[in-house]
Structures are given as structure tokens and as C-alpha cells.
Amino acid sequence: MVTSMAPRVESLASSGIQSIPKEYIRPQEELTSIGNVFDEEKKEEGPQVPTIDLREIDSEDTEVRERCRQELKKAAMEWGVMHLVNHGISDELMERVKKAGQKFFELSVEEKEKYANDQASGKIQGYGSKLANNASGQLEWEDYFFHLVYPEDKRDLSIWPQTPSDYTEVTSEYARQLRVLASKILSALSLCLGLEEGRLEKEVGGLEELLLQMKINYYPKCPQPELALGVEAHTDVSALTFILHNMVPGLQLFYEGKWITAKCVPNSIIMHIGDTIEILSNGKFKSILHRGLVNKEKVRISWAVFCEPPKEKIILKPLSETVTETEPPLFPPRTFAQHIQHKLFRKTRDGQSN
């Protein structure tokens, strides 16, 4: 069966349509919870995504260092998502990464098509739009660019954007610095679980095998944002996910039975705990359900970097230290590839992202 190519969402958005095609309209039960994201972001009442200041994570002072770790631990256990500030990556580098990605998306669709991926043939890196992979045949209001950015010897630079000319340089430097940050977080989370400092890093593949995959998500303006989603509700399969964005709100977290909109925190990196760490920690750290809203007024762009264990080499299961008689293992042993298949199977079977 040949899947017809979904039109690029950007082309749809710029065609002047007043109403969106039916395959982008969310099911009725979801529509009741989709509000105006700018109004949602202004809400001061109710729970807010925690902000974690990492300045003291390596402090010489044991007490200060421990306090920082405890804040990280609390956020990982209660939310599984947080704004990281003082994370060690310069504002200037983050701005350059954002500018380079934005410049790529400012190219014409024809120009971007030269980098098109071909999911049907398994070529997943490159420029693309979401194909329907759930029972309802639903599409999401986004285009994206996806590529592996670290380790450097596993990259395919031939599919990296040539325009702008500094894209490869700034994205590579950002990936290197993010990899250092990932190690720092994994060390702290290991200690929070009472494990040796290097344990989680080793369990997700270490420097050689942990893959950093970048997905630049491009959410065009949407004529009927109350009917669509940029990204449907899901949890990340990764170990950790780090996100930059262009300060346009959109990220929502499903917390204590309600959708909470994340505020835009300047110079922060949003970090999600993914399924991989949730499994290894036997559910002590949460992989939170989240989704992306779109709007009529502003294009939203986000830069998500997924830190993923190798697909087949490692069996993911709760670490023995996290399992007791009263806390039996919550997850069966699976490879990362099997975990992804399991999620896709559940999704196609019941039309849900869970």
C-alpha cells in the first residue's frame, strides 16, 4: 500500500484556509480541554512546572550540593518535567542554535523538500510531517526536522541543512554541551536513587551508545487552534529530553488530572524524564503525559533533543536496587525497540497515546 504524502502543514497554513482539514480535528473528548494557549499561560493559580536552579549541583559545599539534588529529585518524582536554569550552556549558544533552526524553516518548502525524509523506506532523518499512525488517522499541526546529533561518529552530516552556513557548527557544539549536561543530570538522579553516581549513565548506554536525536518542531499558525494539536498527548520514550523553544507557549503537562500550561522561562531548558528512566527507577521518577497546543497569532518552534539508549543492546527493566517486596517491578524487561513497539501497538489498538 502506498501512503500518499501528507501536505506540509506550513503549506496548508499559508494557503489562506479558514478551516482546517478534518484529519487535523481532534476527537470530541479532547476538544473540551483545548483552550487559548496565551490565556492559559497567564494563569497564576494552580500548580506550576517547577524551576530547578543547577548552579549549585557541583558545589564544593556538601550541604548546598545536597539541597540542589533534593530539589531535582522532588521535581523528578512529582512532575517528571522542569525548567532548568543555570545549566551551564550559554545564552549566546542557545540563541545561535535557535536562529540557525529558524533560518532553515524560513527557506521555501521546495528548498526544505530537498532534505525530505522517507518514513516508508525507514529513512527517518530529515524534513518531514507526521504520518497518521493511530487508529483514528489523526494528523498533528506540525512539520519537523529530525537528525541524530551525538555521538559525532554516528552522525550523517550529508542530511544536515546546508543553509544557514553555521547550522552544523552551532548544532554540533550545542549537542556536545548538552551531552555534558545529560551526564550531570544522570549522575545526580543516580545519587537520588541511592545508586553509584555513574550507574544510570551506564544503564542507558554511556558515552558510546547513548544517542542524542534532535527534532526541531515547527508549528505554523493555525486558523482553528481550538480544534487541533501540534503534538498529541504522549510520554517520551527517551531517558531524558531537553527542549529549547522560541518563547511562544504551547507545552502542556497532564498533572493531577488536569492540563497545565508551562510558562515560558527565559534562558531555561525544559527537561523531561522519559520512559527509560521511569522504568529503570521502577516508577519513582515520572515520565509525564504531555502535548503541544497551537495558536492563530504566532509560529511556535521548539528544539527537542531526545537522549535514547541503543535500540537492542540493553534490556530496560527496574534496577534491582529500586525493587522491594512492597515495591515489586512495575515494568517487564524489554529492549528499547520493544518498548517503542509496545507503545505503538497500544496506540493503534485503542487509538490512545499511553
Side-chain angles (χ1 to χ4, degrees), residues 115-133:
Y115 299 93
N117 62 11
D118 180 11
Q119 295 180 52
S121 70
K123 184 187 163 216
I124 58 170
Q125 296 196 72
Y127 172 62
S129 306
K130 181 73 181 282
L131 302 178
N133 69 348

Side-chain angles (χ1 to χ4, degrees), residues 33-174:
S33 70
I34 298 176
N36 177 306
V37 73
F38 296 110
D39 296 342
E40 297 286 336
E41 199 220 359
K42 289 190 189 92
K43 287 183 181 168
E44 291 299 336
E45 75 280 1
Q48 304 286 343
V49 176
T51 296
I52 304 299
D53 187 338
L54 292 179
R55 192 192 298 276
E56 310 293 3
I57 197 109
D58 295 325
S59 169
E60 297 290 309
D61 185 324
T62 323
E63 211 169 290
V64 172
R65 195 170 64 231
E66 191 50 36
R67 197 178 317 131
C68 182
R69 269 193 215 131
Q70 287 307 316
E71 284 176 18
L72 179 69
K73 179 181 181 177
K74 187 171 189 279
M77 290 178 84
E78 291 178 11
W79 280 85
V81 65
M82 60 207 78
H83 302 283
L84 301 179
V85 295
N86 294 314
H87 39 66
I89 298 178
S90 73
D91 300 349
E92 186 213 2
L93 180 59
M94 294 192 298
E95 280 311 309
R96 288 181 70 200
V97 168
K98 292 197 272 189
K99 198 165 278 176
Q102 189 177 330
K103 282 206 169 121
F104 171 75
F105 273 97
E106 283 168 0
L107 298 172
S108 67
V109 171
E110 293 70 36
E111 196 56 36
K112 290 193 288 267
E113 285 297 351
K114 294 176 183 172
Y115 299 93
N117 62 11
D118 180 11
Q119 295 180 52
S121 70
K123 184 187 163 216
I124 58 170
Q125 296 196 72
Y127 172 62
S129 306
K130 181 73 181 282
L131 302 178
N133 69 348
N134 51 18
S136 52
Q138 220 71 54
L139 293 170
E140 297 163 331
W141 195 261
E142 71 150 345
D143 299 324
Y144 63 81
F145 192 92
F146 180 78
H147 59 325
L148 185 146
V149 293
Y150 198 92
E152 294 182 350
D153 61 352
K154 293 186 166 73
R155 303 177 309 180
D156 177 2
L157 291 176
S158 72
I159 58 118
W160 287 39
Q162 300 297 300
T163 308
S165 57
D166 65 346
Y167 183 93
T168 298
E169 180 201 333
V170 298
T171 305
S172 299
E173 183 53 35
Y174 178 62

